[in-house]
């Protein structure tokens, strides 16, 4: 256990919620960072605010960064969110270099705040195939952080913590319950249906529903269509 501060990236989703709770369990005081990148909807940011408050974050920064200026993704451009099921290729919901951008911002705050641990809820098993969720990426960014910062050069390296890296979505659901979290507070859907419910058909909805089903626990999520 420590009494240090950690930066926790909180998107509002299930994975980032559980990851941030793990940071707290590891003994860290929390600084929560969410990025308002002008994504398709704001509902996940509302979830992020609820989660950060519930986890007792000492500060929660919602940082505006308009990635619609670049586009290139169904989440940042007028591109339809796919609803046909999870495929083998990297889907159009991939936002170019998103986790690299987000971790860079978290790294800047970490150095300014004296934090040396950054928590991110990436997962490389039950996910949509994004390249910036792989263990190689996390290891590479940690090395970059050492080379790119005053703290790293002076022998105070940063640690990029990805506690869910090797978990299935069912494992993550079970971990959230072990941590005593209200998983219904989180938001996963890429394309919310009218009435503020999950669409049920996008990749993220399907993976979320699969996780609860395989964990053998009730899914608290409202879906417009059965995943």
């Amino acid at each position: 256990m420590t009494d240090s501060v950690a930066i926790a990236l909180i998107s509002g989703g299930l994975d980032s919620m559980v990851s941030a709770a793990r940071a707290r369990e590891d003994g860290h005081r929390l600084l929560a960072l969410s990025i308002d990148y002008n994504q398709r909807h704001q509902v996940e940011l509302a979830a992020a605010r609820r989660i950060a408050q519930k986890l007792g974050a000492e500060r929660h920064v919602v940082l505006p960064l308009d990635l619609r200026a670049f586009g290139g993704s169904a989440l940042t451009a007028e591109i339809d969110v796919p609803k046909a099921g999870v495929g083998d290729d990297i889907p159009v919901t991939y936002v170019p270099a998103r986790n690299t951008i987000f971790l860079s911002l978290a790294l800047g705050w970490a150095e300014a705040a004296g934090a040396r641990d950054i928590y991110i809820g990436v997962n490389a098993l039950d996910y949509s195939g994004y390249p910036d969720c792989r263990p190689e990426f996390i290891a590479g960014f940690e090395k970059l952080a050492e080379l790119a910062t005053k703290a790293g050069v002076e022998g105070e390296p940063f640690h990029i913590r990805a506690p869910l890296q090797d978990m299935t979505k069912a494992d993550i659901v079970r971990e959230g319950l072990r941590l005593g979290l209200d998983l219904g507070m989180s938001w996963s859907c890429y394309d919310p249906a009218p009435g503020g419910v999950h669409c049920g058909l996008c990749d993220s909805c399907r993976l979320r529903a699969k996780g609860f089903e395989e964990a053998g626990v009730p899914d608290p999520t409202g879906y417009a269509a059965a995943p």
Side-chain angles (χ1 to χ4, degrees):
M1 297 287 285
T2 71
D3 188 39
S4 62
V5 66
I7 308 297
L9 280 162
I10 299 181
S11 68
L14 175 64
D15 296 354
S16 69
M17 180 186 195
V18 176
S19 173
R22 280 285 298 268
R24 188 182 63 176
E25 184 181 60
D26 289 345
H28 298 292
R29 295 164 19 237
L30 291 185
L31 296 178
L33 177 61
S34 304
I35 312 299
D36 180 357
Y37 60 98
N38 204 3
Q39 55 268 57
R40 292 179 72 98
H41 55 79
Q42 293 289 304
V43 65
E44 70 178 12
L45 290 172
R49 290 184 178 93
R50 291 194 299 270
I51 290 166
Q53 182 178 22
K54 186 70 173 179
L55 292 178
E58 295 183 4
R59 188 180 176 200
H60 180 208
V61 170
V62 180
L63 194 68
L65 179 70
D66 188 4
L67 293 185
R68 279 189 178 267
F70 298 158
S73 166
L75 304 188
T76 57
E78 297 308 313
I79 300 171
D80 290 339
V81 172
K83 302 288 183 72
V86 181
D88 295 326
D89 297 328
I90 298 173
V92 296
T93 49
Y94 164 70
V95 177
R98 179 173 60 180
N99 284 343
T100 306
I101 295 166
F102 289 4
L103 280 172
S104 296
L105 296 168
L107 177 62
W109 191 13
E111 187 165 31
R116 295 296 176 262
D117 294 275
I118 299 171
Y119 281 72
I120 183 170
V122 295
N123 166 258
L125 295 180
D126 284 343
Y127 75 125
S128 293
Y130 301 144
D132 53 1
C133 289
R134 296 175 299 163
E136 305 96 292
F137 166 73
I138 296 300
F141 192 93
E142 190 170 272
K143 181 62 176 177
L144 179 149
E146 179 182 348
L147 296 173
T149 59
K150 178 178 182 289
V153 169
E154 293 179 350
E156 296 183 28
F158 295 88
H159 303 286
I160 310 302
R161 308 294 188 186
L164 316 184
Q165 186 74 80
D166 299 317
M167 293 185 183
T168 65
K169 199 63 85 174
D171 291 335
I172 294 167
V173 168
R174 295 188 193 100
E175 181 71 350
L177 295 176
R178 183 190 70 79
L179 291 162
L181 301 176
D182 174 3
L183 302 182
M185 292 178 63
S186 65
W187 182 272
S188 299
C189 183
Y190 291 147
D191 192 22
V197 297
H198 287 62
C199 75
L201 299 177
C202 69
D203 283 10
S204 191
C205 280
R206 291 176 188 271
L207 290 169
R208 181 185 178 99
K210 177 174 178 277
F212 280 99
E213 180 181 2
E214 292 184 350
V217 298
D219 186 349
T221 313
Y223 298 105

